[in-house]
Amino acid sequence: MKFKTNAKCAGCSSAIIKAVSAKFPDAEWNLDLDTADKILEAHGIPENAETAAIVEKTLEETGFKGNWLPGTGY
């Protein structure tokens, strides 16, 4: 799964990874700050609207915005 985020720095990345890892401890998370869309990528979780909503809510609770990019080969 991939999400466009508003992360800006390594501190943002650390906070986001910590929050989503707490919700989905078995998933592998990566946040690419070098892309224009600051892509958060997850491996090992179901790619569906329900999971996306949980991730987006977790980002919001952490003070960030995130939008699921469904079915993109981004």
Side-chain angles (χ1 to χ4, degrees), residues 11-66:
C12 299
S13 177
S14 178
I16 288 171
I17 297 295
K18 182 178 178 182
V20 292
S21 292
K23 287 276 188 191
F24 299 95
D26 296 331
E28 180 183 326
W29 295 93
N30 181 52
L31 180 57
D32 188 353
L33 294 173
D34 293 331
T35 61
D37 290 334
K38 313 302 184 207
I39 299 297
L40 173 67
E41 187 170 3
H43 296 282
I45 60 174
E47 184 161 347
N48 57 45
E50 182 180 339
T51 302
I54 294 169
V55 173
E56 289 173 354
K57 183 174 169 52
T58 302
L59 291 170
E60 189 176 297
E61 290 170 348
T62 310
F64 298 95
K65 294 181 183 176

